[in-house]
């Protein structure tokens, strides 16, 4: 037992039951009556300083510098426009900007690459466009950060590459076809190798990863698992289900995200079961009209099953103010959002169809029943009554509202249908 462990044991048991072990370099505490607790704390402080001073720094492999670019960066005006888009101005123009830059032989300026790669982390639709205009430095950055590893797989599986480069060129190692890379390469080279293998033979890539999975660091497991979005199939379900029990939070999040995109998976059925307990159809008669309403009740508890399936206790947006009251939306509503986002869309057409499945248009036209009012899902949340109701014409809180026309049912301008599913008369 080391001297540090002996001090920890004495602190846990108490100095009355286990006196502090002797330490030659400890100061003499005869002046204060020899308090055993004070002596233990003094010696622990000395040992802490000694441990910190004697700590050897970790050895790190030097990072190869970013390779030289083969394409010029866009001009200052175009770069300023991209900076404004990344800041939130006309975000929908981002794919068009990236495609225009790539088609004209330009790349994204290096200073804007981190923000751009972070955008692609949360939006898969942007990734092919980013891969076309990120340049060699963008791919080099992706090899250093596991959160941006998606760019390496895009470079392998798309024809555009990353502005004329490939991940294996930037990594300065063996190409994706060299099997030695998976055993001896750096993390970036191994991600490139696995991504190329997923594009050629997903089963072989899955087998290779399974053999080394237990001994891979958490950051590497995240990067490797992200390559499964290419060639994702039911054959990957078993491996991804096992990844839901991984000790690393980020690995579990990636596995849950991939399973949610897998049609017919057990994960999707679990989410559909949770969704059916929170959202249900109910026949109601409002203003002499009998129709199906959507009754919503957010979950009351957050159990271990929800945690395992990637629904965090405090999802993103839990404390975002509500658009009407200004109060935070709360964790219950945030749980419901997470569940619905992971629920297969066919759940709703079957749930609200009678006797057969309903069409998507019929589902989105159903009014939603809440504690105070109902809204048309195709048109958005209902406005406050003081702003939607003309003066002197206060309506019942049970009436449905169409946001776009600020008028009660039966018509909805978003779908040109009444809540009962029949087309309204011409006016």
């Amino acid at each position: 037992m080391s001297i540090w462990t002996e001090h920890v044991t004495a602190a846990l048991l108490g100095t009355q039951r286990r006196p502090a072990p002797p330490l030659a370099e400890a100061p003499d505490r005869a002046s204060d009556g020899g308090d055993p607790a004070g002596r233990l704390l003094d010696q622990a402080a000395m040992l802490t300083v000694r441990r910190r001073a004697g700590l050897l720094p970790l050895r790190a492999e030097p990072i190869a510098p970013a390779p030289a670019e083969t394409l010029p960066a866009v001009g200052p005006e175009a770069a300023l426009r991209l900076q404004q888009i990344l800041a939130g101005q006309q975000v929908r123009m981002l794919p068009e900007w990236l495609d225009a830059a790539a088609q004209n032989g330009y790349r994204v300026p290096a200073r804007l690459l981190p923000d751009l790669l972070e955008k692609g982390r949360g939006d898969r639709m942007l990734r092919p466009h980013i891969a076309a205009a990120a340049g060699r430095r963008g791919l080099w950055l992706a090899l250093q950060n596991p959160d941006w590893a998606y760019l390496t797989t895009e470079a392998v599986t798309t024809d555009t590459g990353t502005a004329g480069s490939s991940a294996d060129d930037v990594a300065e190692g063996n190409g994706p076809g060299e099997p030695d890379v998976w055993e001896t390469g750096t993390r970036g080279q191994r991600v490139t190798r696995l991504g190329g293998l997923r594009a050629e033979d997903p089963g072989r890539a899955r087998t290779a990863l399974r053999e080394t999975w237990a001994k891979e660091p958490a950051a590497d497991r995240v990067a490797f698992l992200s390559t499964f979005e290419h060639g994702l199939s039911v054959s990957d379900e078993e491996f991804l289900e096992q990844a839901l029990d991984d000790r690393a939070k980020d690995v579990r999040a990636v596995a849950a995200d991939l399973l949610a995109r897998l049609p017919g998976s057990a994960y999707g059925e679990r989410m559909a079961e949770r969704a059916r307990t929170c959202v249900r159809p109910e026949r109601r008669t409002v203003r002499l009209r009998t129709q199906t309403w959507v009754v919503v009740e957010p979950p009351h508890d957050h159990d271990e099953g929800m945690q395992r399936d990637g629904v965090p206790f405090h999802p993103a947006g839990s404390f975002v103010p509500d658009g009407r009251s200004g109060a935070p939306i709360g964790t219950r509503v945030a749980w419901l959002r997470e569940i619905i986002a992971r629920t297969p869309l066919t759940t709703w057409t079957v749930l609200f169809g009678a006797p057969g499945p309903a069409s998507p248009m019929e589902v989105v036209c159903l009014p939603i029943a809440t504690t105070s009012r109902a809204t048309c899902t195709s048109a958005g949340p209902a406005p406050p009554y003081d702003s939607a109701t003309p003066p002197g014409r206060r309506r019942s809180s049970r009436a449905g509202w169409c946001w776009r026309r600020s008028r009660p049912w039966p018509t909805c301008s978003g779908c040109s249908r009444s809540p009962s599913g029949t087309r309204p008369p011409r006016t």
Side-chain angles (χ1 to χ4, degrees):
M1 182 180 294
S2 66
I3 187 66
W4 175 257
T5 306
E6 292 179 2
H7 280 73
V8 172
T9 303
L12 292 174
L13 297 178
T15 53
Q16 293 182 353
R17 299 177 59 187
R18 176 70 64 86
L23 188 64
E25 46 280 39
D28 184 13
R29 297 190 58 90
S31 59
D32 60 359
D35 179 23
R39 179 168 175 262
L40 176 66
L41 293 176
D42 283 345
Q43 295 183 177
M46 291 189 62
L47 290 174
T48 301
V49 173
R50 189 167 69 181
R51 285 162 57 92
R52 292 177 178 175
L55 182 64
L56 296 177
L58 299 176
R59 296 184 61 185
E61 297 182 2
I63 300 177
E69 295 285 1
T70 58
L71 297 176
V74 297
E77 294 183 359
L80 177 61
R81 185 59 184 152
L82 176 59
Q83 183 177 354
Q84 294 172 344
I85 294 175
L86 293 175
Q89 299 182 19
Q90 297 183 352
V91 181
R92 295 182 180 180
M93 299 295 296
L94 183 56
E96 182 178 347
W97 190 101
L98 295 171
D99 290 344
Q103 292 170 5
N104 288 277
Y106 291 98
R107 59 175 174 84
V108 175
R111 62 184 178 85
L112 299 178
L113 284 173
D115 291 339
L116 179 63
L117 294 177
E118 194 65 23
K119 284 279 188 182
R121 177 186 176 188
D123 189 348
R124 291 187 186 85
M125 302 301 294
L126 286 175
R127 295 179 180 180
H129 307 282
I130 295 175
R136 295 168 65 87
R137 185 179 294 270
L139 188 52
W140 177 83
L141 285 173
L143 292 173
Q144 317 306 323
N145 188 349
D147 292 337
W148 301 336
Y150 66 85
L151 194 65
T152 62
T153 59
E154 288 292 341
V156 172
T157 56
T158 59
D159 296 333
T160 56
T162 48
S165 62
S166 61
D168 52 299
D169 294 334
V170 175
E172 295 185 352
N174 295 329
E178 296 294 336
D180 292 342
V181 171
W182 179 246
E183 300 294 336
T184 61
T186 64
R187 180 173 62 192
Q189 293 171 342
R190 298 178 71 201
V191 169
T192 303
R193 164 65 179 166
L194 190 63
L197 199 56
R198 285 288 301 183
E200 299 171 2
D201 188 350
R204 184 182 170 193
R206 183 176 59 253
T207 301
L209 181 57
R210 189 190 298 274
E211 293 175 353
T212 63
W213 181 259
K215 58 183 180 182
E216 301 289 356
D220 290 3
R221 295 199 301 272
V222 173
F224 296 152
L225 199 61
S226 298
T227 64
F228 276 52
E229 64 178 317
H230 300 286
L232 185 65
S233 66
V234 294
S235 301
D236 300 319
E237 182 177 4
E238 180 183 358
F239 185 84
L240 294 176
E241 283 284 349
Q242 295 175 358
L244 287 178
D245 298 318
D246 195 274
R247 60 184 179 274
K249 176 183 176 181
D250 291 341
V251 175
R252 298 195 301 269
V254 173
D257 187 55
L258 291 170
L259 284 170
R261 301 169 55 194
L262 191 60
S265 64
Y267 179 92
E269 182 54 37
R270 293 196 299 271
M271 284 297 174
E273 183 63 27
R274 295 187 181 103
R276 286 190 287 264
T277 61
C278 300
V279 183
R280 58 183 175 84
E282 183 177 299
R283 298 290 293 177
R284 292 188 177 186
T285 301
V286 179
R287 297 170 62 99
L288 304 180
R289 182 189 298 274
T290 301
Q291 60 192 45
T292 300
W293 288 67
V294 181
V295 180
V296 181
E297 179 66 25
H300 293 273
D301 301 313
H302 186 274
D303 54 26
E304 294 182 359
M306 292 174 60
Q307 184 71 33
R308 179 180 183 271
D309 286 342
V311 180
F313 187 80
H314 288 296
S318 302
F319 303 102
V320 175
D322 180 80
R324 292 187 292 269
S325 65
I329 64 172
T331 54
R332 291 182 61 200
V333 175
W335 296 338
L336 180 60
R337 286 181 174 178
E338 294 287 332
I339 291 173
I340 292 179
R342 293 169 164 82
T343 300
L345 296 179
T346 55
T347 303
W348 311 117
T349 57
V350 174
L351 181 62
F352 293 99
S359 67
M361 178 62 71
E362 292 173 338
V363 174
V364 299
C365 287
L366 295 175
I368 301 178
T370 63
T371 55
S372 60
R373 57 186 174 272
T375 61
C376 175
T377 58
S378 65
Y385 290 114
D386 55 358
S387 62
T389 307
R393 296 185 60 187
R394 184 154 185 93
R395 310 197 69 90
S396 169
S397 62
R398 304 283 293 178
W401 286 87
C402 175
W403 170 266
R404 290 177 181 156
R405 293 188 178 180
S406 296
R407 57 184 287 184
W409 294 113
T411 59
C412 169
S413 61
C415 55
S416 299
R417 287 179 179 269
S418 66
S420 60
T422 59
R423 188 175 297 276
R426 295 180 179 271
T427 57

